[in-house]
Amino acid sequence: MYQPAVEAMERRELAQLQERRLLETVRRVYAHVPFYRSKLQQAGIDPESFRGLAELTRLPFTRKSDLRDQYPFGLFATPLADVRRLHASSGTKGKPTVVGYTERDLRLWSEVCARALVTAGGQPGDVFHNAYGYGLFTGGLGMHAGAERLGMVTVPVSGGGRMRQWTLIEDFSPRVIAGTPSFILSLGEAMIQAGKHPRNSSVKVGIFGAEPWSEEMRQELEALWGIHAVDIYGLSEVVGPGVAIECWQAKEGLHIAEDHFLVEVIDPHTEEVLPEGEVGELVFTTLTKEALPVLRYRTGDLASVTSEPCRCGRTHRRMSRVKGRIDDMLIIRGVNVFPMEIEPIVMAQPELSPHYQLVVEKEGSMDRLTVEVEVLESSFNLVDFSALTKRLEGALKENLGVSVRVRVTMPGSLPRSEGKAVRILDRR
Ligand code: DLL
């Protein structure tokens, strides 16, 4: 462990730490963020008498729209001059959301990322190939700072440019690689096309996240690269990467850095807190951030949380893989479908590649979904396309409870990811 004293802290002691930090955070936002002061006043909360964890659910929620409405710096709790770094989301749906970090925030962020790298199986001295995008996206610079802090030999390669990536992998022999699962998949494919198998590379550990991916995709990536692949989760509004990560020992759920981030799982409709183990919307309250503390931030991500002990010895609770985002849910003929449910069904067909995309169109007043998926190069000449299409349509109908169309396409015909994969083409 990178910080055994916190990572394996006794739960009662951890709760006391969280309590202290929560009270501090509430006082801080009340004093410095007019948005929170008025929300807290509306909820009848006086920071001086607020009792902490026992009253957590009295605190107001924060939504992505609040960050947008307060664009760019309205939710900052420090003067702008104390902010050392800004990051922002791509802003594909309207204004971007902007997040800020003080010097202390940058330290806490590098701490949780260093911790994440060790949890994944990284060690000081390892060469670390960082293929998360550098720039306003938090993935590249976040993991970079964590790796340097841990003492890794950090290669800031960023996303894209597959040929340059595999040349650097051959030349620098990284033991650890990080990137989005879709990009690392396509990088492995590009290596094979160039006559170099990723399994023969030096890479032993893969740290994949920033987009949803399935257990089937993990198996695919582990076999392709001959690695341990672990899931890393995070979001800019909370800090970036490093909020939670799987340990290489168990690879069964992601340990949340609970000394910095308080987690709840709520029913997104009733907003009630759900019992442990039930899937709902993840909600985070930051406990140590200075520039942009958030109270009960609604992530839109669906997952469950467990406090079952883990074989790695860490006591921090684990979240499940993200099952989907609330706003990615499709309603196909009245049936709710999450894009992530489709990946394992596609990947169960041995003749199909893991390269797929979902096309949503209007058909009268209904939505129609088509799954486009590439046949494997090796099956291309052998397979009966219409039988394969029917087989996948049947499997999708059986698993999703609704008919969707399938279009099996030629190898290499679908776009490859450079960072976060665009899985849904919305033609409505
Ligand atoms: O994606 C931070 C990050 C960078 C995480 C590198 C992991 C590795 P945002 O761009 O703000 O931040 O996007 C956050 O991405 O709310 C989820 O919907 C999704 N996401 C992140 N990690 C995972 C994951 C970064 N492991 C949004 N599984 C989140 C599924 C994920 N979805």
Side-chain angles (χ1 to χ4, degrees), residues 336-351:
N336 299 349
V337 175
F338 284 102
M340 267 319 284
E341 295 177 88
I342 291 171
E343 186 171 289
I345 308 168
V346 167
M347 291 186 66
Q349 308 296 325
E351 304 90 341

Side-chain angles (χ1 to χ4, degrees), residues 132 137-139 210-212 231-236 301 322 325 420:
Y132 282 118
F137 173 53
T138 52
E211 65 182 14
D231 192 5
I232 182 166
Y233 171 81
L235 63 166
S236 324
D301 295 322
V322 172
R325 281 191 59 78
K420 293 195 191 225

Side-chain angles (χ1 to χ4, degrees), residues 64 88-90 97 99 109 130 132-133 136-140 142-143 178-181 207-213 230-244 254 297-302 319-325 327-328 340 420:
K64 198 172 186 88
S89 72
S90 57
T97 46
V99 296
W109 190 17
N130 189 12
Y132 282 118
L136 288 173
F137 173 53
T138 52
M143 294 304 284
T180 59
I207 304 176
F208 305 141
E211 65 182 14
W213 56 307
V230 303
D231 192 5
I232 182 166
Y233 171 81
L235 63 166
S236 324
E237 296 84 346
V238 172
V239 81
V243 174
L254 296 78
Y297 184 75
R298 294 192 55 169
T299 63
D301 295 322
L302 296 166
M319 58 180 261
S320 67
R321 254 176 204 294
V322 172
K323 315 267 181 204
R325 281 191 59 78
D327 47 14
D328 276 353
M340 267 319 284
K420 293 195 191 225

Side-chain angles (χ1 to χ4, degrees), residues 28-38 70 74-78 291 293:
R28 170 187 294 278
V29 297
Y30 190 89
H32 300 296
V33 188
F35 166 87
Y36 279 123
R37 187 178 318 133
S38 82
Q70 302 289 326
L75 287 185
F76 285 15
T78 51

